[in-house]
Amino acid sequence: MKKSYSGIIWGISFLVIGINMFGNYTGLFSFDLFFNGWWTLFLILPAIASLIFDKYKMSNAFIFTLGVILLLNCQGFIAENMFFKILLSCMVILFGINFIFTNISRNKKS
């Protein structure tokens, strides 16, 4: 039977948000949950969870890579004119890795 970790991930998310709210409201600590590119976490975190808990899929690796590149772009680490060039090169790398591991797994089955 396959376990579902989505409930645990949602629980941890609400726990972190609640602790953040408590700290900000009481003045015990200040943590800004909304940083430049925070929305990219909606791509990155589910892709990481899927890569860890499910079988490797090219689509999850693509979504993770896209999210990381978008986050780096929002944080100013990647110039606007380099975004698509970096994304394209990362996709070619992922395609190569996928091609290699697909052929290795086919050879093991034979």
Side-chain angles (χ1 to χ4, degrees), residues 14-105:
F14 282 119
L15 182 66
V16 169
I17 291 169
I19 291 171
N20 178 43
M21 291 169 60
F22 178 80
N24 285 336
Y25 294 155
T26 60
L28 292 175
F29 56 86
S30 178
F31 177 75
D32 188 13
L33 191 60
F34 300 106
F35 51 90
N36 288 339
W38 65 270
W39 56 270
T40 60
L41 295 178
F42 289 110
L43 296 173
I44 296 170
L45 295 178
I48 288 174
S50 184
L51 286 169
I52 291 172
F53 298 120
D54 295 337
K55 195 170 92 172
Y56 173 82
K57 294 178 186 168
M58 181 72 169
S59 60
N60 294 330
F62 172 76
I63 292 170
F64 172 74
T65 303
L66 177 64
V68 169
I69 292 171
L70 285 169
L71 179 61
L72 292 173
N73 186 306
C74 290
Q75 291 289 315
F77 292 108
I78 296 176
E80 293 287 330
N81 63 344
M82 294 297 294
F83 175 78
F84 287 108
K85 294 175 184 178
I86 291 172
L87 180 63
L88 178 63
S89 62
C90 287
M91 293 307 105
V92 171
I93 291 168
L94 283 174
F95 180 74
I97 290 170
N98 187 55
F99 190 75
I100 291 168
F101 285 112
T102 301
N103 284 316
I104 289 173
S105 66

